[in-house]
Amino acid sequence: MALSVDTLNNYIKLDNQIHELEIKNTRKAYEELQGRLGSLQTENKTLKQQLEEKCQKTKKELDDVERVVKEMEQAVLAKGQKQYDEEMAREKAEHLEALAEQEKVQKFLEENEKEIKQVEKQAAEAKVGNDQLNKLYQEQEELLNSIFNGSYGSALENELEADLEMHRERKQRIDIARYKWTNGRVLLSHACNQLNTATKGWTEMRGIKCDIQKRYQEVTPVRNNLLAAIQNMQSAHKYLDNIPFPYCKQDEIDTLSHATANIYTDMTSEDRSIHAGECFSTTYKRCAALLQWFDTVINTTITKDLREATDNAAEAEKHLRAERMRLLKEMADKQNVVFNVDESVKHKDESQGMQGSDIKPVGDVQEDNTPAPVQRNIAALPSQDEIFGNMEELKKKHDQRIGEYQKIEEMNKARVAQGLEEKLAQRRQRRMEQRAS
């Protein structure tokens, strides 16, 4: 292809545009949002089914209460007032528990649908950037193919491109992990504060004597904080569904959820209120330990590895760019095209990565200056493969690509050598024929 200054400047423009989108982790961000949207939509179907079941159970328990009320006179005569009161109290408690479960699922469904709308909007915005990046890559590929006649400009260019793909994929994976873990940390921080507020509120409620109405008023915000904390902890699990949490595991959350459902019954009994308070307090301490564990993973592993991966990707990109510029300059010189690489077109070394979290945790949180409990012996940290995925797989793919390209190069050289031999043989044959004549 005959080069021109416009062609070379077009390549530089495409290269810079691709760079700007790559440092924002455009492709991986879109893939992550698509995956999260799919998970939320699946969860939405499950929650709707659960809500229908909870509504049916609540109706059944209310029917039982109404049945006991209708049969009051006969029941009192047959069983006595005390047994009737006990049966009525049991039916009312079961109805309250079923109603609490229904309201909990209803709240979770509402928050799920809010998040679906939020992620749908983010995914649509990310798709624009992803489509733009694909278009730019296609244009760049077509331009390079036309310049180098469908091949690489040099064997080194291919190797450097493979290096960049490996380092860029590594950086993108770590950036996604950072995004997930920091989002999870936001959720856990809110949950920790909500559990702390709920625990304090429960203790204050227990100090109220002989005023059941006042107790109800105090318990309602406790219950709301517990429900919000449960949902925030569960959302943190979903963000990192491949990571086994050392604290606040699903069975612990289920225990807290059951205690929350029984909260209006537990407040009427001293023994049960003590037991419930211990459950709330223990979960708060373990949530604080989990938050500390998250901080350790983020600060000691993810941040350090992301910095290293960013530097490696920037270095690989710089080398590939330099080799392509060298090849283009060499070709331009041969065709007497004046072409100077200006400093203004060189890439910056900054790396934005995926931007800060847009996540909105459930429930309002009051600022509390009370320091969270500190876990002295923190649980074992997850492995790098658990955090980032199998990084060794990237190296294997890289080596495989280089190996395949080297085979192609050797085959091409063999074809060229064979063609040369045939030409030499034809030349010798012509010379022999000329001498014979």
Side-chain angles (χ1 to χ4, degrees):
M1 171 186 178
L3 281 182
S4 67
V5 174
D6 287 343
T7 301
L8 295 170
N9 285 336
N10 188 26
Y11 167 76
I12 292 171
K13 180 182 176 182
L14 288 170
D15 191 56
N16 285 332
Q17 289 175 327
I18 288 170
H19 172 78
E20 290 300 316
L21 289 172
E22 283 290 1
I23 63 174
K24 295 176 183 176
N25 209 355
T26 301
R27 196 187 307 281
K28 284 290 181 185
Y30 176 62
E31 291 174 1
E32 173 61 22
L33 287 167
Q34 284 290 93
R36 177 133 187 84
L37 182 59
S39 298
L40 286 168
Q41 289 168 339
T42 300
E43 181 186 359
N44 185 265
K45 292 179 182 177
T46 302
L47 286 171
K48 285 181 177 178
Q49 183 179 351
Q50 288 179 355
L51 181 60
E52 184 178 348
E53 293 170 356
K54 299 299 181 185
C55 288
Q56 290 175 356
K57 184 174 181 182
T58 302
K59 183 179 182 305
K60 175 186 174 300
E61 297 299 343
L62 180 60
D63 290 344
D64 287 345
V65 171
E66 292 174 349
R67 174 183 54 78
V68 172
V69 170
K70 289 178 181 178
E71 296 173 356
M72 179 184 68
E73 186 175 348
Q74 293 180 351
V76 170
L77 291 173
K79 304 176 183 177
Q81 186 68 43
K82 182 180 178 182
Q83 191 170 350
Y84 167 78
D85 290 342
E86 289 175 352
E87 185 175 345
M88 174 58 75
R90 184 178 67 254
E91 295 295 348
K92 284 184 176 180
E94 289 174 354
H95 173 245
L96 281 175
E97 182 178 346
L99 184 60
E101 284 290 327
Q102 176 186 322
E103 289 175 352
K104 181 187 77 172
V105 175
Q106 180 68 51
K107 283 180 179 289
F108 287 4
L109 179 60
E110 289 170 0
E111 291 300 328
N112 169 271
E113 291 178 342
K114 284 181 186 177
E115 190 172 1
I116 285 177
K117 290 180 181 178
Q118 178 187 348
V119 174
E120 282 178 338
K121 181 181 177 182
Q122 292 173 345
E125 293 170 354
K127 185 178 186 300
V128 174
N130 186 68
D131 291 347
Q132 184 184 0
L133 180 60
N134 289 335
K135 182 174 179 291
L136 290 171
Y137 267 125
Q138 182 66 27
E139 290 178 11
Q140 186 192 54
E141 190 66 26
E142 290 173 358
L143 186 60
L144 288 171
N145 281 339
S146 66
I147 292 172
F148 296 119
N149 297 319
S151 181
Y152 283 93
S154 68
L156 178 60
E157 183 203 359
N158 174 71
E159 292 181 11
L160 291 174
E161 186 179 78
D163 287 345
L164 176 57
E165 286 183 4
M166 178 183 68
H167 288 300
R168 187 173 277 164
E169 175 71 17
R170 178 181 174 84
K171 173 186 170 295
Q172 289 171 345
R173 282 198 192 184
I174 297 174
D175 198 21
I176 287 289
R178 180 194 61 80
Y179 177 75
K180 288 182 175 182
W181 281 81
T182 51
N183 272 338
R185 191 200 178 283
V186 170
L187 291 160
L188 288 175
S189 178
H190 276 69
C192 197
N193 279 312
Q194 287 155 344
L195 288 166
N196 186 26
T197 302
T199 301
K200 288 179 178 179
W202 188 254
T203 302
E204 291 171 4
M205 180 279 299
R206 292 186 60 229
I208 299 172
K209 307 296 183 182
C210 304
D211 189 343
I212 195 68
Q213 192 60 37
K214 180 66 175 174
R215 280 198 165 198
Y216 268 107
Q217 293 174 1
E218 293 294 322
V219 165
T220 297
V222 170
R223 175 177 172 272
N224 291 340
N225 271 295
L226 291 172
L227 285 174
I230 289 167
Q231 189 164 357
N232 285 326
M233 286 189 289
Q234 288 182 332
S235 294
H237 273 277
K238 287 166 188 170
Y239 257 102
L240 296 157
D241 54 4
N242 64 316
I243 301 294
F245 286 14
Y247 315 102
C248 298
K249 301 176 183 179
Q250 190 56 51
D251 59 339
E252 296 176 62
I253 296 176
D254 290 342
T255 299
L256 178 64
S257 182
H258 184 69
T260 303
N262 291 325
I263 198 166
Y264 289 113
T265 302
D266 291 344
M267 76 174 189
T268 62
S269 165
E270 183 64 18
D271 289 341
R272 293 186 63 163
S273 67
I274 291 173
H275 180 73
E278 290 173 350
C279 174
F280 304 154
S281 177
T282 298
T283 309
Y284 162 57
K285 291 174 184 176
R286 289 181 68 79
C287 187
L290 184 60
L291 185 61
Q292 184 183 342
W293 186 75
F294 263 63
D295 284 338
T296 304
V297 172
I298 292 169
N299 295 330
T300 64
T301 301
I302 296 177
T303 301
K304 177 178 68 67
D305 285 12
L306 181 58
R307 189 181 302 115
E308 179 185 344
T310 298
D311 291 343
N312 290 338
E315 190 70 12
E317 186 175 16
K318 183 175 73 174
H319 289 319
L320 176 60
R321 181 180 175 82
E323 173 62 8
R324 282 181 174 165
M325 288 301 173
R326 183 190 70 78
L327 293 167
L328 292 172
K329 183 71 167 59
E330 185 179 84
M331 186 175 289
D333 288 345
K334 288 180 181 179
Q335 299 183 25
N336 296 319
V337 176
V338 179
F339 175 58
N340 294 313
V341 180
D342 191 81
E343 286 294 321
S344 63
V345 302
K346 291 185 178 179
H347 291 159
K348 298 177 183 178
D349 289 333
E350 81 279 4
S351 177
Q352 298 172 4
M354 292 183 71
Q355 298 304 303
S357 169
D358 293 324
I359 190 171
K360 293 179 175 57
V362 177
D364 296 326
V365 177
Q366 298 177 350
E367 291 297 327
D368 190 339
N369 295 324
T370 305
V374 175
Q375 186 83 8
R376 291 186 178 180
N377 299 318
I378 196 159
L381 303 183
S383 67
Q384 286 197 327
D385 282 353
E386 286 177 316
I387 299 173
F388 306 127
N390 187 354
M391 290 296 197
E392 188 61 30
E393 178 188 4
L394 298 180
K395 183 67 169 59
K396 289 180 180 178
K397 287 182 179 178
H398 169 269
D399 293 343
Q400 184 180 3
R401 170 174 171 174
I402 295 297
E404 289 173 353
Y405 183 78
Q406 287 173 346
K407 287 180 182 178
I408 292 171
E409 282 289 291
E410 290 170 2
M411 289 172 64
N412 288 338
K413 287 178 182 178
R415 289 194 187 99
V416 171
Q418 183 180 358
L420 181 60
E421 287 294 326
E422 289 175 354
K423 288 179 181 178
L424 289 173
Q426 290 172 1
R427 186 182 303 172
R428 285 195 295 269
Q429 183 65 29
R430 284 196 299 271
R431 286 179 181 173
M432 289 175 63
E433 291 174 353
Q434 288 172 359
R435 288 172 182 170
S437 62

